[in-house]
């Protein structure tokens, strides 16, 4: 077997990790200065941008411990039957790489995932050891996100929580049928049990102990998961239903949606085309509505013929257009819950409306200063000196406020 240098392993194992969206790196642009030998590349050597639990944008070294895997999940480039170049880091190599990058200020943290080598416990042991050594031996104070293997023992997951900021367990696909069909070695029940155990551990450790009266540090960034979108026929309504259940049952901090991307030598069980990236974006917006805007999962797509999110307009605007009887809302009187339903008003704008109206009545211009575009808001509100009249019910309202369609690029 060819002996690979650390640099070669890094190239293979950072490339293999790019399919995982659950470090929230999807906002990073496609800059690539590697070819020009310039500086500032965000790709190529495993450095990605991510949002820490406190909202800061941080750079992470995003790698797999190994892309060898004994499982054969159809949608995964690293599955056992895939014909890709394989590599495996030692614990020592990951620790050294992380520290070297960290000391040079290239990164602020590590996102570590892995294929399953020999057994889930053996793989998890190595991942935990990376985190343990970083924290205890190297006194690493950066962010650590470990992708937990659901079949690994509870003791190992507990150890992982002592050193990692965030743990995640991938639910993989929106439905149990999907998991059974496309990832036959994985058991949806095991994934759920693992998430439930992690939830209770996080809650248990968040309570101050009788002896020390302080909270024990245990995965302070909570747990998250990732769902692949478009690898099976589940509708957006089905996906959001699963997300709502996951948030409710396991207190997840985030569900990440990763648009399925066709892989080389793909199984015939998979679609040939990837779903539009906009679908992923709309799912994130709908997810946001459930978490921060008080929407129930069922109402986001209520009344749609196919249970799919509209790709042309955002889900809140789509909901408002289907529920025009709820509008217009008076921005000087409506309660917070109602204000959050107005298209074009974000949570911050709503807070500012509530603050401002304590000492003055709002006019349309005042609302305009608080939001990005008043065009979207105007037909849905009443303000001092402003009423939309018949505009709220106008047959062509959607055309008037929806973003204009853009010609797709034919050659990219
Ligand atoms: S277990 Fe993970 S790495 Fe292995 S084939 Fe499945 S998704 Fe890929």
């Amino acid at each position: 077997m060819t002996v690979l240098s650390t640099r070669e392993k890094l190239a293979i194992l950072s490339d293999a990790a790019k399919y995982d969206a659950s470090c929230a790196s999807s906002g990073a642009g496609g800059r690539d200065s590697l070819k020009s030998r310039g500086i500032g590349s965000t790709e190529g050597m495993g450095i990605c941008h991510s949002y820490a639990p406190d909202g800061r944008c941080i750079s992470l070294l995003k790698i797999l411990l190994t892309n060898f895997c004994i499982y054969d999940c159809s949608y995964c480039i690293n599955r056992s039957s895939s014909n890709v170049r394989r590599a495996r880091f030692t614990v020592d190599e990951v620790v050294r790489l992380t520290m070297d990058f960290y000391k040079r200020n290239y990164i602020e943290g590590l996102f570590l995932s892995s294929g399953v080598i020999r057994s889930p416990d053996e793989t998890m042991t190595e991942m935990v050891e990376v985190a343990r050594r970083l924290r205890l031996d190297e006194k690493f104070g950066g962010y650590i996100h470990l992708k937990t293997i659901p079949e690994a023992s509870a003791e190992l997951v507990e150890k992982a929580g002592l050193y990692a900021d965030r743990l995640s367990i991938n639910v993989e696909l929106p439905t149990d049928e999907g998991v059974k069909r496309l990832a036959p070695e994985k058991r949806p029940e095991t994934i759920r049990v693992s998430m439930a155990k992690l939830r209770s551990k996080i809650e248990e450790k968040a309570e101050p102990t009788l002896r020390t009266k302080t909270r024990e540090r245990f995965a302070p960034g909570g747990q998250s998961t990732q769902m692949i979108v478009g690898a099976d026929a589940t509708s957006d309504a089905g996906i959001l239903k699963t997300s709502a259940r996951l948030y409710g049952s396991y207190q997840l901090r985030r569900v990440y949606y990763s648009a399925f991307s066709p892989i080389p030598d793909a199984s015939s069980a998979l679609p040939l085309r990837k779903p539009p990236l906009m679908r992923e974006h709309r799912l994130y917006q709908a997810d946001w509505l459930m978490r921060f805007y008080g929407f129930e999962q069922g109402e986001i797509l209520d009344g749609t013929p196919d249970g799919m999110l509209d790709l042309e307009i955002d889900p809140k605007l789509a909901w408002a257009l289907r529920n025009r009887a709820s509008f217009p809302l008076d921005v000087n009187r409506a309660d917070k819950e109602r204000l959050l339903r107005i298209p074009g008003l974000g949570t911050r704008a709503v807070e500012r409306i509530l603050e401002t109206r304590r000492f003055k009545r709002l006019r349309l211009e005042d609302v305009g200063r608080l939001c990005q575009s008043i065009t979207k808001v105007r037909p849905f509100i009443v303000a001092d000196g402003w009423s939309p009249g018949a505009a709220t019910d106008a047959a062509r309202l959607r055309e008037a406020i929806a973003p204009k369609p853009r010609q797709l690029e034919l050659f990219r």
Side-chain angles (χ1 to χ4, degrees), residues 184-198:
E185 290 115 333
K186 294 195 174 170
R187 304 177 71 83
E189 315 80 70
T190 314
I191 297 172
R192 282 195 284 272
V193 168
S194 223
M195 284 179 166
K197 283 187 183 158
L198 191 50

Side-chain angles (χ1 to χ4, degrees), residues 69-73 75-76 78-80 114-116 172 186:
C69 192
I70 53 174
Y71 290 178
D72 202 40
C73 310
Y75 48 82
C76 178
N78 304 317
R79 69 196 190 280
S80 56
S114 185
V116 182
E172 307 292 356
K186 294 195 174 170

